[in-house]
């Protein structure tokens, strides 16, 4: 399929594509399924991803943020390995456990516990001096135990990228992010997250 091999993993099928790259299903030597995300080089800022990952990992990975099992931000292509948060439906399709696929559950279900949990996850990130900058339903995962995990931080409409696709992410971005993505580096990203959170809620 053309994607590079990852040591210790058997990378199998493509399971998703987006503006920043592609996601493949993989299995480690112990039989655990994981996701491998290969980044499109012009759609990311490597130093930004590397720096934010270092902040998140310092002193222990924060609760409610998608952990990185492995990351190579200098590779060609850059890539990360994360837990696989998905299930197989009755037709054999792999369906992500993201809010995007469960949005119709609300407001039939009481949304406030979920809204409070997303706020707590964002607060954990902000306490580590990392703004998400890309909050949307597709980047909020809810596992079978009801635990919430935020993914794909510092991706999308970020400073210094050469390629940006207009996706549903722009529906959750404040005007100032759309006008000046470089503001992320001046700590405007925290305000962006508040706007995105309010829109999502």
């Amino acid at each position: 399929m053309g994607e590079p091999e990852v040591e210790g993993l058997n990378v199998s099928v493509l399971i998703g594509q987006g503006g920043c790259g592609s996601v493949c299903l993989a299995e480690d030597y112990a039989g655990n399924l994981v996701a491998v995300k290969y980044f499109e080089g012009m759609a990311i800022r490597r130093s930004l991803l590397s720096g934010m990952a270092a902040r998140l990992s310092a002193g222990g990975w924060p609760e409610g943020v998608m952990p990185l099992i492995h990351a190579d931000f200098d590779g060609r292509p850059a890539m990360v390995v994360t837990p696989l948060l998905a299930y197989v439906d009755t037709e054999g399709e792999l369906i992500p456990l993201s809010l995007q696929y469960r949005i119709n559950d609300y407001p039939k279900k009481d949304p406030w516990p979920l809204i409070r949990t997303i706020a707590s996850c964002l607060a954990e990130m902000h306490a580590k001096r990392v703004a998400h900058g890309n909050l949307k339903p597709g980047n909020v995962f809810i596992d079978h135990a009801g635990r919430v995990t935020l993914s794909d931080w510092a991706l999308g409409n970020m400073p210094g990228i050469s390629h940006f696709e207009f996706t549903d992410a722009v529906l959750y971005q404040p005007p100032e992010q759309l006008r000046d993505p470089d503001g992320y580096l001046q700590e405007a990203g925290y305000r962006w997250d508040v706007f995105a959170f309010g829109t999502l809620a």
Side-chain angles (χ1 to χ4, degrees):
M1 53 179 262
E3 298 292 6
E5 295 183 5
V6 182
E7 187 176 352
L9 295 179
N10 177 25
V11 180
S12 53
V13 296
L14 178 72
I15 56 175
Q17 284 185 294
C20 293
S22 57
V23 182
C24 294
L25 180 66
E27 185 176 356
D28 66 17
Y29 291 153
N32 301 307
L33 294 178
V34 296
V36 182
K37 178 166 239 176
Y38 298 99
F39 294 113
E40 166 61 47
M42 294 197 306
I44 63 166
R45 182 167 177 170
R46 293 167 185 268
S47 60
L48 181 64
L49 284 171
S50 177
M52 296 303 106
R55 287 184 183 183
L56 288 169
S57 63
W61 200 264
E63 187 75 25
V65 181
M66 183 73 78
L68 302 183
I69 297 169
H70 174 71
D72 180 2
F73 297 117
D74 295 321
R76 297 289 188 267
M79 50 80 67
V80 294
V81 180
T82 69
L84 178 71
L85 292 180
Y87 70 96
V88 178
D89 70 6
T90 54
E91 298 176 1
E93 295 257 343
L94 199 65
I95 306 297
L97 287 170
S98 72
L99 179 58
Q100 182 160 339
Y101 285 86
R102 301 175 65 176
I103 202 79
N104 289 337
D105 292 346
Y106 303 94
K108 289 177 284 187
K109 278 187 182 177
D110 178 10
W112 288 110
L114 176 60
I115 289 169
R116 283 192 291 268
T117 303
I118 293 171
S120 295
C121 294
L122 273 178
E124 290 283 332
M125 292 191 73
H126 290 185
K128 292 276 195 167
R129 298 181 303 118
V130 176
H132 191 290
N134 191 28
L135 187 65
K136 61 178 185 174
N139 291 338
V140 177
F141 286 81
I142 310 165
D143 71 14
H144 292 298
R147 290 182 294 260
V148 173
T149 303
L150 305 183
S151 72
D152 287 1
W153 34 266
L155 290 173
N157 195 13
M158 290 286 115
I161 63 168
S162 303
H163 175 76
F164 173 63
E165 288 188 13
F166 283 84
T167 67
D168 63 329
V170 301
L171 301 174
Y172 302 89
Q173 293 177 5
E176 56 266 31
Q177 181 176 4
L178 296 170
R179 283 195 293 263
D180 182 23
D182 285 351
Y184 186 92
L185 300 176
Q186 283 79 50
E187 301 191 347
Y190 302 113
R191 296 193 302 276
W192 300 351
D193 285 352
V194 173
F195 181 98
F197 171 75
T199 304
L200 181 59

